[in-house]
Amino acid sequence: MDAVRYIHAADLHLDTPFQGLSREAAREGHLTRLLQNAAGTALERLIRLCEAERPHFLILAGDIYNQEQRSIKAQLQLRDGCVRLQRLGIPVFIAHGNHDPLSSRLTSVEWPDNVTIFGETVERRPVMRDERVVALVHGISHARQQESRNLAKNFSRDTAHDDAFQIGVLHCAVEGQRNHDRYAPCALSDLLDSRLDAWALGHIHERDILQRTPFIAYSGNTQGLHINEQGPRGCLSVTATNDGSGWICREKFVPLSSVQWQQRLLELNDVAHIDEVEQRLLTTLDDASRETGPECEALIVRVRCTGRTPLDMLLREPATQAELTERTLHLSSASPKIWLKDLVVETRPPAERAEYLQREDLLGETMRLMEAMRTDPALLRSLAGPALDPLFRHPRFRGALDAPDDEETRRLLDEAERLCADLLEAR
């Protein structure tokens, strides 16, 4: 049987707002326009990719829109793209997710005949070539925003088309995926039990291949939405071939994001002059820019300053950070355009911790306690837990904040140590 080629994209979030930029960067009209159009630009690039590669079908695995009350502009843009693919005979299969469930208000958009929008029960749709079924696409959408059912258990192979390539489309959280809401949760074994040849998944914004045979993949999102979604984002172009014993899938990542986010480290050990800080900062931003691909039009960077430096206190002044940021604004006319989102100062004074640990005063006693917590995670949890618990139990924050994990707690300890050194040493 000939190869089956498909493109898998998910989490387009077409009407998403971008937040978290500095006030200075937000004033840049060109950056504002780039951000407003970024998700739509990724969609346009996705449609052009389909027009160029002519796959057997396109899959959109959920969260095509960012909000339940999806914008008319976003729907019409997607509809127009599907019309273009209809002219080429390319089917489009859409499953809705937690951000755009079927229960949300629908605007009157007439979809072309090549579009299948999966309902709240599993449906199967054939992909035809030369009057034969070359693939069978199974899919289901979220019925509601808080979809708690294990939808993967409803999928099963169609034995009537056993020779065809069969793929499942699902927006879900597979067991083991951290830091994501547990919508439509399932285990990897649930996907395997279906006996499908491949799965095109959505919901997790990081690209991830969970298994090769059968091929189970998250494509990641098509456009990074904030500073923690770093690097190029896009889709997977997949070719499936049958070697006689089963279907083998080979994927190619295709970047689509016009705006990219990065976090970089700026090492300032023993740096004593602010002009050297500026030079190292500009070099760091230039290095970040050189690592981007040609698809990147704008790069937004968070720079973390580390190391022991006599400039520690000066760098922590908001005015210093604002002035250093202003000194980088000329990079917004570079290619790609570069904006410094913010400076995160994690430097330390030149004094060594060993000196503090030997002191017989309040600072020394405090440092020894912190050192004990650093080497004994159980002690750290026993002291940090009760101290932080009122914050996470507060009615205003209980639903908005997650308790810190061990790594985050250690970072809080490092910051507390620095503050104690600054405040107690000053006394």
Side-chain angles (χ1 to χ4, degrees):
M1 182 177 290
D2 296 335
V4 174
R5 295 176 297 105
Y6 65 94
I7 290 176
H8 166 201
D11 298 279
L12 282 67
H13 293 273
L14 287 178
D15 44 14
T16 189
F18 284 85
Q19 298 177 346
L21 291 178
S22 68
R23 188 172 301 172
E24 292 78 10
R27 289 197 198 105
E28 295 287 331
H30 189 58
L31 175 60
T32 300
R33 288 191 296 274
L34 279 172
L35 286 171
Q36 288 174 341
N37 297 328
T41 298
L43 172 62
E44 173 61 24
R45 291 176 174 180
L46 175 63
I47 299 300
R48 289 182 184 177
L49 175 68
C50 291
E51 291 174 327
E53 293 199 354
R54 304 289 180 93
H56 288 92
F57 54 93
L58 167 65
I59 288 174
L60 302 179
D63 284 2
I64 291 89
Y65 311 101
N66 189 61
Q67 301 173 0
E68 285 191 77
Q69 305 301 323
R70 60 199 68 163
S71 72
I72 292 176
K73 176 183 175 182
Q75 291 185 80
L76 292 178
Q77 185 179 13
L78 179 57
R79 190 278 315 271
D80 291 346
C82 291
V83 168
R84 286 159 58 185
L85 298 186
Q86 182 187 35
R87 297 184 187 124
L88 300 175
I90 300 174
V92 181
F93 298 97
I94 298 175
H96 287 282
N98 55 287
H99 275 272
D100 55 358
L102 295 173
S103 61
S104 59
R105 178 177 63 84
L106 299 176
T107 305
S108 298
V109 171
E110 185 176 356
W111 297 98
D113 293 339
N114 64 322
V115 174
T116 295
I117 297 178
F118 291 113
E120 59 183 275
T121 59
V122 174
E123 302 171 43
R124 299 164 175 169
R125 293 290 183 270
V127 177
M128 308 295 294
R129 281 291 186 275
D130 300 324
E131 299 184 350
R132 62 189 178 96
V133 177
V134 296
L136 202 62
V137 182
H138 307 236
I140 190 173
S141 289
H142 287 212
R144 59 193 67 83
Q145 187 176 34
Q146 302 292 334
E147 183 59 81
S148 59
R149 297 174 298 159
N150 184 340
L151 301 178
K153 287 182 174 293
N154 298 322
F155 286 75
S156 62
R157 187 175 190 83
D158 185 347
T159 56
H161 295 92
D162 209 34
D163 291 338
F165 175 72
Q166 301 196 31
I167 183 170
V169 183
L170 181 60
H171 195 82
C172 66
V174 178
E175 190 176 76
Q177 302 294 317
R178 296 185 58 199
N179 302 322
H180 282 82
D181 295 323
R182 299 284 294 165
Y183 295 124
C186 66
L188 184 61
S189 59
D190 297 324
L191 303 177
L192 298 176
D193 288 345
S194 70
R195 298 179 56 245
L196 298 181
D197 303 304
W199 283 88
L201 305 179
H203 183 50
I204 307 301
H205 287 192
E206 299 299 324
R207 188 168 73 256
D208 194 7
I209 309 301
L210 302 187
Q211 186 157 309
R212 284 285 167 186
T213 307
F215 184 67
I216 304 175
Y218 284 106
S219 63
N221 53 355
T222 55
Q223 168 62 57
L225 303 181
H226 50 72
I227 191 62
N228 292 321
E229 296 186 348
Q230 300 183 65
R233 303 283 160 148
C235 64
L236 295 178
S237 177
V238 184
T239 299
T241 55
N242 195 323
D243 63 0
S245 61
W247 290 89
I248 305 298
C249 293
R250 293 178 176 83
E251 85 286 357
K252 175 182 69 174
F253 170 69
V254 182
L256 301 172
S257 52
S258 59
V259 177
Q260 294 181 17
W261 308 79
Q262 282 196 32
Q263 298 190 50
R264 309 287 289 203
L265 288 180
L266 176 58
E267 175 57 59
L268 297 176
N269 257 331
D270 300 324
V271 173
H273 299 97
I274 199 70
D275 55 331
E276 184 175 352
V277 174
E278 179 189 25
Q279 185 55 52
R280 291 193 182 193
L281 174 60
L282 292 173
T283 299
T284 297
L285 294 174
D286 186 55
D287 289 344
S289 173
R290 284 204 303 271
E291 292 179 11
T292 62
E295 78 284 347
C296 180
E297 298 179 30
L299 178 64
I300 304 173
V301 186
R302 165 176 286 166
V303 174
R304 295 184 177 275
C305 304
T306 63
R308 292 188 177 274
T309 168
L311 299 175
D312 175 72
M313 291 299 292
L314 178 62
L315 290 171
R316 292 181 181 278
E317 292 290 334
T320 301
Q321 296 175 27
E323 289 165 6
L324 284 171
T325 299
E326 186 177 356
R327 299 277 294 181
T328 69
L329 290 179
H330 67 283
L331 298 176
S332 63
S333 60
S335 180
K337 303 177 187 305
I338 307 170
W339 279 272
L340 177 61
K341 180 185 185 298
D342 50 24
L343 285 170
V344 178
V345 178
E346 298 174 342
T347 56
R348 294 177 178 276
E352 293 293 336
R353 181 185 290 117
E355 294 179 28
Y356 293 134
L357 293 174
Q358 299 301 318
R359 291 172 54 155
E360 295 298 330
D361 57 9
L362 178 58
L363 178 55
E365 185 63 29
T366 301
M367 289 298 180
R368 285 189 286 276
L369 175 60
M370 290 187 173
E371 186 68 12
M373 287 190 286
R374 187 170 280 106
T375 57
D376 185 353
L379 176 62
L380 175 58
R381 286 192 294 270
S382 69
L383 295 175
L388 296 172
D389 194 53
L391 175 64
F392 297 104
R393 288 181 175 272
H394 193 284
R396 285 189 178 183
F397 306 127
R398 188 165 50 214
L401 295 177
D402 294 325
D405 58 22
D406 288 347
E407 183 179 348
E408 291 167 331
T409 303
R410 284 192 294 272
R411 285 201 295 267
L412 289 173
L413 179 64
D414 291 340
E415 181 65 12
E417 181 183 86
R418 185 199 66 76
L419 288 172
C420 288
D422 290 346
L423 295 172
L424 296 179
E425 181 69 13
R427 293 177 184 274

